[in-house]
Amino acid sequence: GAGVSQSPSNKVTEKGKDVELRCDPISGHTALYWYRQSLGQGLEFLIYFQGNSAPDKSGLPSDRFSAERTGGSVSTLTIQRTQQEDSAVYLCASSPQSKGIEQYFGPGTRLTVT
Amino acid sequence: GQQVMQIPQYQHVQEGEDFTTYCNSSTTLSNIQWYKQRPGGHPVFLIQLVKSGEVKKQKRLTFQFGEAKKNSSLHITATQTTDVGTYFCAGTMDTGRRALTFGSGTRLQVQP
């Protein structure tokens, strides 16, 4: 079946512009996560959605970052006034529920801020 | 804060040599998962350990969960070039809402 999809796969933007990154989780998965991975680094947790509960936003690095999940499915991560340090691969993952279940990762969006 | 640390950060081995990566948590984990990320790819789930002292094997890979459920290891016997990638542990804390806290990863390079 279809896995987690993300779009775009690559995004180049100028410093100061806003960007939107999209994640389509696996159908029926109630939990959705956003991570950021800089080149050669580990996974930095950004935000976590679980069903209708309030999202865990504790990993968002600044108020320029926000995310929403509409209808419990598709999620959009928005970065306002992008900075060069925002350049990274943004990974989305979903799982059937919250704790104790493997996460299925999408291919990621590579963001380059020039 | 709650952290999961992994060592080493990087290991370069000759094909056929063994490899081990270690994962340590500052708090007790209810379970631990391991993921592999190939160069240019995304993390892919390998296994989950739940019980104290649990040991699981997948062919040449052996996974252990410590008795105190605060540490874990992944051992690869007789590495092959297909083992190249970054191995991440990820733990579920007993407390807190977030499902997984990822370790920093160990990048494995295997020289043929």
Side-chain angles (χ1 to χ4, degrees):
Chain A
V4 178
S5 61
Q6 291 186 246
S7 60
S9 55
N10 280 284
K11 175 73 176 178
V12 180
T13 190
E14 292 181 352
K15 178 182 173 181
K17 300 281 179 126
D18 297 352
V19 294
E20 283 190 354
L21 312 180
R22 177 187 169 106
C23 172
D24 282 86
I26 293 173
S27 178
H29 281 193
T30 59
L32 187 148
Y33 315 81
W34 282 97
Y35 297 92
R36 178 168 71 175
Q37 187 173 36
S38 300
L39 186 63
Q41 301 299 310
L43 295 167
E44 177 187 4
F45 167 78
L46 297 177
I47 189 168
Y48 158 52
F49 297 90
Q50 171 54 38
N52 295 321
S53 302
D56 177 356
K57 303 179 181 180
S58 60
L60 295 178
S62 77
D63 58 8
R64 295 186 296 105
F65 288 72
S66 63
E68 62 177 23
R69 188 178 185 192
T70 53
S73 180
V74 171
S75 178
T76 302
L77 176 69
T78 302
I79 308 173
Q80 296 178 311
R81 305 181 302 282
T82 52
Q83 304 294 314
Q84 288 186 331
E85 60 262 29
D86 299 334
S87 297
V89 175
Y90 289 81
L91 290 161
C92 174
S94 71
S95 68
Q97 56 191 61
S98 56
K99 291 190 175 185
I101 300 294
E102 70 178 276
Q103 295 185 11
Y104 296 79
F105 282 82
T109 293
R110 181 175 298 278
L111 175 66
T112 303
V113 182
T114 60
Chain B
Q2 298 167 336
Q3 289 189 346
V4 177
M5 308 298 293
Q6 258 185 278
I7 56 170
Q9 284 188 316
Y10 172 76
Q11 183 123 31
H12 187 154
V13 300
Q14 292 286 126
E15 190 171 23
E17 292 182 336
D18 292 355
F19 159 76
T20 305
T21 173
Y22 300 90
C23 181
N24 292 285
S25 170
S26 57
T27 61
T28 303
L29 303 170
S30 55
N31 65 66
I32 193 153
Q33 298 178 7
W34 286 90
Y35 291 77
K36 177 183 178 181
Q37 184 176 26
R38 295 182 184 275
H42 57 274
V44 174
F45 175 81
L46 293 177
I47 206 161
Q48 175 170 281
L49 305 170
V50 179
K51 299 176 183 177
S52 168
E54 188 171 13
V55 178
K56 286 189 176 181
K57 293 192 175 185
Q58 287 181 350
K59 297 182 180 179
R60 296 178 293 104
L61 277 61
T62 302
F63 303 84
Q64 292 188 324
F65 199 9
E67 294 289 341
K69 300 184 74 174
K70 296 179 76 171
N71 57 70
S72 181
S73 65
L74 158 59
H75 179 83
I76 302 178
T77 304
T79 54
Q80 299 175 359
T81 55
T82 53
D83 295 326
V84 165
T86 300
Y87 293 84
F88 293 96
C89 64
T92 300
M93 306 292 174
D94 278 347
T95 58
R97 294 177 53 216
R98 191 187 309 172
L100 287 178
T101 300
F102 277 82
S104 48
T106 296
R107 185 159 68 94
L108 172 64
Q109 182 64 37
V110 180
Q111 184 165 348

